[in-house]
Amino acid sequence: MMRLFMMLGSVNMFLAVALGAFGAHMLKTKISADMLAVYQTGVQYHMIHAVGLIAIGLAADRLTQNQSLVNASGWAIVIGIILFSGSLYVLSLSGIKVLGAITPFGGVAFLAGWVMLAIAAMK
């Protein structure tokens, strides 16, 4: 799983940088300033959690006694990226406000992932 989470982190970092550049260069004149801020929030959390996935991949090699918790934390972060950042991207580009209801589930997944990693490190 170490390599898988490092690969997922690297791919997600690539996507976050590409989506950030797209937002900065292509969306500035296409969407409102408020929606651009929503989009940028998605990019920011995407980047932070992509780095987190790489860290989880590295931790997986050291926290071998708690491998299932480390793995669960990685998958929670992946789900968080999809739900949190993904919903913000779609919301800002489509204007469909109901998508904002999905975002908190991604935030909860992020929180769960970090708590599981902390527990795995403490055991």
Side-chain angles (χ1 to χ4, degrees), residues 5-25:
F5 288 126
M6 291 182 75
M7 183 272 304
L8 287 171
S10 299
V11 167
N12 272 284
M13 185 55 85
F14 171 88
L15 290 172
V17 170
L19 289 166
F22 172 75
H25 299 290

Side-chain angles (χ1 to χ4, degrees), residues 4-17 19-20 38-57 72-91 99 102-114:
L4 176 63
F5 288 126
M6 291 182 75
M7 183 272 304
L8 287 171
S10 299
V11 167
N12 272 284
M13 185 55 85
F14 171 88
L15 290 172
V17 170
L19 289 166
V38 168
Y39 185 90
Q40 289 171 335
T41 298
V43 170
Q44 179 183 9
Y45 277 76
H46 195 162
M47 282 187 176
I48 291 165
H49 289 87
V51 172
L53 282 172
I54 294 169
I56 289 168
S73 74
W75 290 116
I77 297 295
V78 169
I79 291 166
I81 290 171
I82 293 166
L83 294 178
F84 187 91
S85 294
S87 67
L88 292 181
Y89 296 145
V90 176
L91 167 65
L99 291 171
I102 297 169
T103 309
F105 293 106
V108 169
F110 285 150
L111 293 170
W114 292 118

Side-chain angles (χ1 to χ4, degrees), residues 62-63 65-66 69-70 114-123:
R62 294 189 179 259
L63 303 175
Q65 292 177 339
N66 300 306
L69 258 179
V70 175
W114 292 118
V115 167
M116 286 186 278
L117 186 61
I119 293 168
M122 288 189 314
K123 286 187 172 186

